[in-house]
């Protein structure tokens, strides 16, 4: 028994000697929902940030995820097996500097997630300050500040059972002494640092922060205090350091100022927003970031410029390719997406109803259930069935419905004195695919669309391509075809 105990002690000592994230004298990218994904984090590090936090990720989502080593992108992906979405993606480049922020209200569940992700991150942070209704109703975020014993239990459970540093992020309470007492309780759990947003739960960015609260708190605890909430007065790198000094904090965390221009972390000065967007887009392409998330990030940078002619053109974009064309990355995006696609990526182009990720398979393996199909159009009397993986992208068409594929095909049929096309659509699990019958042939896209109307337009597009009314080159350029 003594030998077993000794081995456990030695093992723990070895683990404790591994490099730990240091929270002193650091400039940090704050956790921001929808913003703090992998491309933003990597760009922040490139610009000079010392530590980067992920967006807040909810334990209920993470606890059911499967860890996948993505060899195509050299990333580690945490994938929700129920719908195939990526809850968290990281890579070796950021591992020494990345902190995953988690929303939780349950110590056991939080520990399960912590043990799942601790080999791929350098720190775990618990959100105890978010004032959003979703968090409060779930007993997470700022709700935990009103339940200090529960907050302490969650942090202590994590500190005692994880190999990586544990931290938390809070807001100040309306009363300074109450805030000091809360911070002392949280610090007693053994957490490695504590981030404090210098506003109360009910205050918003337009309200002045309270650096005086943080100055007082620092006097009562020995762990690093990370000051947050100064973005309204941060216009350049020197302003970050000024806010830190105003708070007398160990480190400083930047949110909105970084969201607007992540080059705020450059000691040499801000970069033009076009250069920032260019670098952000390139990273988004390299790491296959979802187009809707990339678009949100660029919108945050453009702000009022969304109303310019170029901004309005950008707002019409739905694909990564279309966004990249605006910032002269069109060829790069096309080649990169094709490279990933040809190497075997199972993405939106191959999505089928009932596609799942099987927990019992080895990492990276995908199990799919093929949908049952029922076509009311009689296939037996048709000469050919022509299929292609062509998608209908609404953003490629103006508001003039006469230019939509179905309308173009209908007009062509009238001119050629042929019967108009007819369509049969199948729908499963909120995905749709249509068959177009025209001039004795069947046309179908293998791409499953999000609604019946788009599925019919995609089938018509396959037909138009094969009768020569739409050029393949045009479809490749606008992203409807991946070759």
């Amino acid at each position: 028994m003594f030998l077993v105990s000794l081995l456990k002690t030695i093992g723990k000592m070895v683990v404790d000697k591994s490099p730990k994230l240091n929270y002193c004298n650091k400039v940090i990218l704050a956790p921001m929902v929808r913003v703090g994904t992998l491309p933003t984090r990597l760009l922040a590090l490139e610009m000079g940030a010392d530590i980067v936090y992920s967006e807040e990720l909810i334990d209920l989502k993470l606890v059911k995820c499967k860890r996948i080593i993505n060899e195509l992108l050299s990333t580690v992906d945490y994938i929700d097996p129920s719908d195939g979405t990526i809850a968290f993606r990281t890579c070796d480049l950021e591992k020494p500097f990345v902190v995953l922020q988690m929303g939780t209200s349950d110590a056991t569940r939080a520990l399960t997630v912590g043990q799942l992700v601790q080999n791929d991150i350098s720190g775990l942070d618990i959100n105890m300050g978010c004032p959003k209704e979703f968090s409060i109703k779930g007993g997470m975020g700022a709700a935990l500040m009103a339940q200090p014993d529960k907050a302490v239990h969650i942090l202590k459970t994590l500190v005692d059972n994880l190999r990586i540093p544990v931290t938390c992020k809070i807001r100040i309470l309306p009363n300074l002494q109450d805030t000091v007492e809360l911070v002392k309780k949280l610090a007693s759990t053994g957490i490695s640092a504590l981030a404090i947003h210098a506003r109360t739960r009910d205050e918003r960015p337009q309200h002045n922060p309270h650096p005086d609260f943080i100055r007082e708190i620092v006097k009562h605890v020995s762990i690093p205090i990370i000051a947050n909430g100064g973005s309204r007065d941060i216009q350049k790198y020197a302003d970050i350091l000024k806010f830190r000094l105003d708070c007398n904090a160990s480190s400083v965390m930047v949110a909105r100022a970084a969201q607007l221009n992540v080059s705020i972390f450059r000691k040499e000065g801000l970069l033009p927003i076009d250069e920032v967007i260019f670098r952000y887009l390139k990273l988004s392409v390299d790491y296959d970031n979802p187009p809707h998330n990339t678009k949100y990030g660029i919108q945050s940078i453009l702000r009022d410029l969304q109303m310019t002619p170029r901004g309005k053109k950008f707002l019409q974009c739905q694909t990564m390719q279309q966004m990249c064309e605006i910032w002269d990355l069109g060829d790069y995006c096309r080649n990169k997406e094709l490279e990933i696609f040809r190497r075997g990526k199972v993405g939106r182009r191959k999505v089928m109803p009932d596609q799942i990720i099987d927990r019992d398979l080895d990492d990276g393996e995908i199990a799919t259930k093929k949908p049952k199909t029922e076509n009311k159009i009689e296939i037996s009397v048709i000469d050919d069935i022509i299929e292609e993986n062509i998608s209908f992208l609404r953003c490629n068409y103006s508001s003039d419905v006469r230019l939509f594929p179905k309308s173009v095909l209908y007009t062509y049929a009238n001119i050629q004195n042929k019967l108009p096309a007819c369509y049969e659509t199948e729908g499963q699990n909120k995905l749709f695919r249509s068959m177009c019958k025209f001039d004795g042939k069947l046309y179908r896209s293998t791409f499953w669309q999000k609604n019946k109307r788009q599925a019919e337009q995609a089938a018509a597009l396959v037909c138009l391509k094969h009768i020569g009314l739409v050029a393949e080159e045009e479809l490749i350029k606008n992203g409807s075809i991946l070759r």
Side-chain angles (χ1 to χ4, degrees), residues 263-305:
S263 68
I264 194 73
F265 292 112
R266 290 183 82 245
K267 295 178 181 178
E268 302 84 358
L270 291 172
L271 292 175
I273 62 169
D274 278 324
E275 184 171 346
V276 173
I277 292 173
F278 181 92
R279 294 191 188 193
Y280 172 71
L281 264 176
K282 189 171 182 296
L283 285 167
S284 295
V285 171
D286 289 343
Y287 289 95
D288 196 30
N289 198 51
H292 68 274
N293 181 259
T294 300
K295 185 175 182 178
Y296 181 84
I298 296 174
Q299 284 181 277
S300 299
I301 301 170
L302 286 176
R303 290 178 288 169
D304 295 343
L305 293 176

Side-chain angles (χ1 to χ4, degrees), residues 26-209:
K26 297 294 188 294
V27 176
I28 302 168
L29 175 71
M32 291 180 283
V33 174
R34 298 179 66 186
V35 174
T37 51
L38 182 58
T40 299
R41 300 196 303 266
L42 289 175
L43 189 55
L45 289 171
E46 182 183 326
M47 295 295 177
D50 299 307
I51 298 173
V52 290
Y53 278 53
S54 75
E55 60 179 329
E56 180 192 17
L57 300 168
I58 307 303
D59 59 354
L60 286 168
K61 177 83 168 178
L62 288 170
V63 77
K64 61 182 179 180
C65 283
K66 181 174 175 63
R67 180 182 184 273
I68 301 284
I69 297 175
N70 188 334
E71 295 182 354
L72 296 178
L73 302 176
S74 298
T75 60
V76 175
D77 299 344
Y78 286 84
I79 301 180
D80 184 342
S82 65
D83 58 11
T85 58
I86 297 171
F88 177 60
R89 170 170 283 166
T90 186
C91 66
D92 285 345
L93 284 174
E94 70 166 359
K95 183 177 178 180
F97 318 102
V98 67
V99 175
L100 186 149
Q101 189 186 66
M102 179 166 57
T104 186
S105 62
D106 182 87
T108 301
R109 193 164 57 238
L111 179 59
T112 299
V113 173
Q115 291 171 335
L116 174 68
V117 302
Q118 66 178 342
N119 291 329
D120 299 310
I121 58 177
S122 286
L124 181 68
D125 183 79
I126 302 302
N127 184 348
M128 295 187 176
C130 181
K132 298 289 181 62
E133 184 179 7
F134 170 80
S135 291
I136 300 297
K137 283 187 175 180
M140 302 179 291
L144 289 171
M145 294 174 61
Q147 303 178 72
D149 291 342
K150 185 175 184 180
V152 165
H153 176 57
I154 291 172
L155 293 176
K156 191 79 168 82
T157 299
L158 295 173
V159 169
D160 289 347
N161 294 282
L162 295 181
R163 298 189 300 274
I164 56 176
V166 176
T167 61
C168 70
K169 184 172 184 289
I170 66 170
R171 285 180 170 242
I172 62 173
L173 296 170
N175 180 274
L176 174 58
Q177 191 56 41
D178 290 343
T179 309
V180 170
E181 291 305 314
L182 174 64
V183 169
K184 288 165 68 175
K185 284 184 179 181
L186 298 177
S188 71
T189 63
I191 56 175
S192 299
L194 193 150
I196 304 176
H197 185 123
R199 292 184 180 88
T200 67
R201 165 177 164 174
D202 296 326
E203 290 178 327
R204 295 296 177 263
Q206 64 268 26
H207 296 109
N208 289 324

Side-chain angles (χ1 to χ4, degrees), residues 208-275:
N208 289 324
H210 305 277
D212 54 311
F213 272 54
I214 299 181
R215 284 199 300 271
E216 184 62 26
I217 290 168
V218 168
K219 300 175 184 178
H220 296 272
V221 292
S222 59
I223 63 171
I225 296 296
I226 305 167
N228 176 229
S231 279
R232 60 178 286 171
D233 297 317
I234 293 176
Q235 305 297 324
K236 56 186 182 298
Y237 183 82
D239 296 333
I240 300 176
L241 303 184
K242 181 179 182 301
F243 180 68
R244 175 187 161 190
L245 288 175
D246 288 345
C247 297
N248 195 28
S250 299
S251 295
V252 63
M253 179 179 279
V254 185
R256 286 182 301 112
Q259 179 178 358
L260 300 177
N261 190 330
V262 73
S263 68
I264 194 73
F265 292 112
R266 290 183 82 245
K267 295 178 181 178
E268 302 84 358
L270 291 172
L271 292 175
I273 62 169
D274 278 324
E275 184 171 346

